[in-house]
Amino acid sequence: MTQTATTTPVNLLGLSRSQMEQFFIDQGEKKFRAAQVMKWIHHEGVDDFSQMTNISRALRDKLSHVAEIRGPKVVYEGQSSDGTQKWVLEVEDGSFVETVLIPSENGSRRTLCVSSQVGCSLDCSFCSTGKQGFQRNLTAAEVIGQLWVAQASAGGRMGHDDGRRAVTNVVMMGMGEPLLNYDNIVPAMHLMLDDNGYGLSKRRVTLSTSGVVPMIEKLGDEIDVALAISLHAANDELRNTLVPLNRKYNIATLLDACRRYLSKSEGTRHITIEYTLIKDINDQREHAEQLVEVLGDLPCKINLIPFNPFPHAGYEKPSRNQVMRFQAWLYELGHNAPVRTTRGDDIDAACGQLVGRVKDRTKRAERYIKAVQLDAS
């Protein structure tokens, strides 16, 4: 399909390698042009075709009429005292999403937490994003655009002048449930892994899910990335309350899907169990014992995440001593379980605090506020 002057320009930012090759074929060009343009976009951070000096002037001029390279608009950028950075990004419909870059304490890793949806449809009871309602899925360009923005903060190029990468790891743990936006998330992750894209190791790209079992099965056939499971409870009764999706896909069904996901690789995949500790809800010895029992022989790592309170949450953060007790119980039962250090508190960038701004078609936020006001009266 050949573009005309009246056709909306194609945004090349979110195109995978195969999609980019097809774009150039449709333009009557050789498909090797795809690799050239991808490197300019993703390696060098270039969004102006006139700067792509290894492409003929005629093709550059043609591209300026039929295509564009357009990332989300940055409306806020904040830096925490601990080095964490947060961006609020405006997407196509005027909604806001948030993305966070978290440096490790020794500076060797810079992990970007990427959003997949405007809001979230799952309504997990302890998550601030879930209380905002849901607007829509992000496009592949809006997903990869978060990595594009983070890289731009390092001068626009894939690496710093001293050879360090601007972003070393990506976790799909921001706003939204990635597996409910499968058709946009998977092409974006392919771009993250592609050497003509961001060239990340498959062990350094992680998708976090609350447990959309059929899509875990599909994911295992299409891409090789790390998987994180937002479990947060080890019995169905409690998880039904914390993660309502559990009523559709219970813990046993979810963990069976995890085992099959691992079985589809040659030992290269790994699974992390995310467990948010909430005071007096899931932080007692019995909960630790249940967790170890339900995981059984599943090869996995457990990450403990102290709950990050937000207004009217209805839950509290456990004391540091209680968190350490829970960790010790797991160790005694045979599991190492690192505690995720809270980062970016002073800019509301900590886990579970991303809210953005959602044009809430579900009216969930409105109902939530009314319920809180009723309880307070």
Side-chain angles (χ1 to χ4, degrees):
M1 122 186 129
T2 302
Q3 296 285 329
T4 67
T6 58
T7 302
T8 302
V10 175
N11 187 1
L12 303 184
L13 181 61
L15 298 189
S16 66
R17 184 191 299 217
S18 61
Q19 290 170 329
M20 188 77 83
E21 289 175 345
Q22 188 59 52
F23 168 80
F24 278 101
I25 290 170
D26 290 344
Q27 298 302 316
E29 302 288 341
K30 301 294 186 183
K31 71 178 185 179
F32 75 85
R33 297 296 185 190
Q36 291 178 310
V37 173
M38 286 177 70
K39 288 177 182 178
W40 280 110
I41 295 171
H42 304 296
H43 291 195
E44 303 297 329
V46 170
D47 61 359
D48 182 348
F49 295 114
S50 68
Q51 296 179 27
M52 299 181 181
T53 52
N54 62 345
I55 296 173
S56 71
R57 186 182 298 274
L59 180 52
R60 282 181 274 165
D61 182 63
K62 180 180 181 180
L63 288 173
S64 70
H65 289 92
V66 301
E68 63 181 349
I69 303 159
R70 176 169 44 85
K73 178 182 177 183
V74 177
V75 296
Y76 167 82
E77 180 175 354
Q79 181 149 339
S80 169
S81 58
D82 63 20
T84 298
Q85 292 174 266
K86 181 174 84 168
W87 293 269
V88 179
L89 307 174
E90 184 176 354
V91 292
E92 290 295 330
D93 60 356
S95 292
F96 294 167
V97 297
E98 300 181 3
T99 188
V100 175
L101 183 65
I102 308 166
S104 62
E105 292 184 3
N106 64 8
S108 63
R109 294 190 314 277
R110 283 160 296 284
T111 300
L112 189 69
C113 184
V114 172
S115 293
S116 57
Q117 297 178 310
V118 183
C120 185
S121 61
L122 294 187
D123 197 18
C124 295
S125 65
F126 58 91
C127 179
S128 183
T129 301
K131 300 306 177 189
Q132 305 305 304
F134 173 74
Q135 172 67 12
R136 66 172 176 85
N137 289 327
L138 294 179
T139 66
E142 290 165 341
V143 173
I144 209 68
Q146 296 169 66
L147 182 48
W148 160 276
V149 165
Q151 187 165 282
S153 74
R157 302 180 69 250
M158 181 182 286
H160 293 272
D161 291 339
D162 62 5
R164 293 183 301 122
R165 292 187 66 107
V167 175
T168 64
N169 298 62
V170 172
V171 291
M172 300 299 307
M173 294 182 183
M175 298 171 62
E177 166 53 60
L179 290 183
L180 293 181
N181 186 16
Y182 188 92
D183 290 342
N184 291 304
I185 292 302
V186 170
M189 290 194 302
H190 276 299
L191 258 177
M192 295 172 192
L193 300 177
D194 197 310
D195 287 341
N196 292 328
Y198 294 87
L200 294 171
S201 161
K202 56 191 175 184
R203 294 183 66 85
R204 292 179 178 268
V205 176
T206 300
L207 182 143
S208 176
T209 177
S210 294
V212 187
V213 166
M215 306 316 289
I216 293 175
E217 306 279 8
K218 187 176 181 181
L219 186 74
D221 294 328
E222 294 194 22
I223 195 168
D224 195 1
V225 294
L227 197 63
I229 303 299
S230 296
L231 194 64
H232 312 303
N235 67 76
D236 285 325
E237 182 179 4
L238 178 56
R239 194 167 191 265
N240 286 346
T241 299
L242 296 179
V243 185
L245 182 64
N246 194 72
R247 298 167 192 159
K248 189 170 186 179
Y249 308 113
N250 66 17
I251 294 173
T253 302
L254 172 57
L255 296 182
D256 281 345
C258 290
R259 292 183 179 92
R260 287 191 294 276
Y261 185 81
L262 290 176
S263 72
K264 293 178 180 180
S265 73
E266 298 178 357
T268 58
R269 296 177 179 175
H270 63 275
I271 288 180
T272 300
I273 301 297
E274 305 285 346
Y275 193 95
T276 297
L277 285 165
I278 307 171
K279 182 181 178 182
D280 298 331
I281 300 295
N282 64 352
D283 64 345
Q284 302 302 302
R285 168 113 193 174
E286 65 182 288
H287 300 120
E289 292 172 346
Q290 289 173 3
L291 181 58
V292 170
E293 181 178 1
V294 78
L295 292 178
D297 61 355
L298 177 70
C300 63
K301 179 180 76 173
I302 302 171
N303 267 355
L304 299 178
I305 310 165
F307 172 68
N308 287 303
F310 57 89
H312 313 301
Y315 296 123
E316 296 180 37
K317 183 177 184 176
S319 68
R320 175 172 173 76
N321 284 343
Q322 186 60 26
V323 172
M324 294 301 103
R325 275 194 290 269
F326 196 89
Q327 182 186 44
W329 291 329
L330 290 178
Y331 183 77
E332 176 188 328
L333 294 165
H335 277 269
N336 288 323
V339 177
R340 185 182 297 172
T341 304
T342 299
R343 307 291 297 276
D345 266 347
D346 53 337
I347 56 170
D348 291 332
C351 184
Q353 291 183 341
L354 301 187
V355 295
R357 185 184 70 188
V358 180
K359 295 176 181 177
D360 180 18
R361 295 178 299 189
T362 68
K363 303 300 181 184
R364 184 190 305 146
E366 180 181 324
R367 294 195 302 271
Y368 175 64
I369 291 170
K370 285 181 178 178
V372 168
Q373 291 172 338
L374 184 62
D375 288 342
S377 62

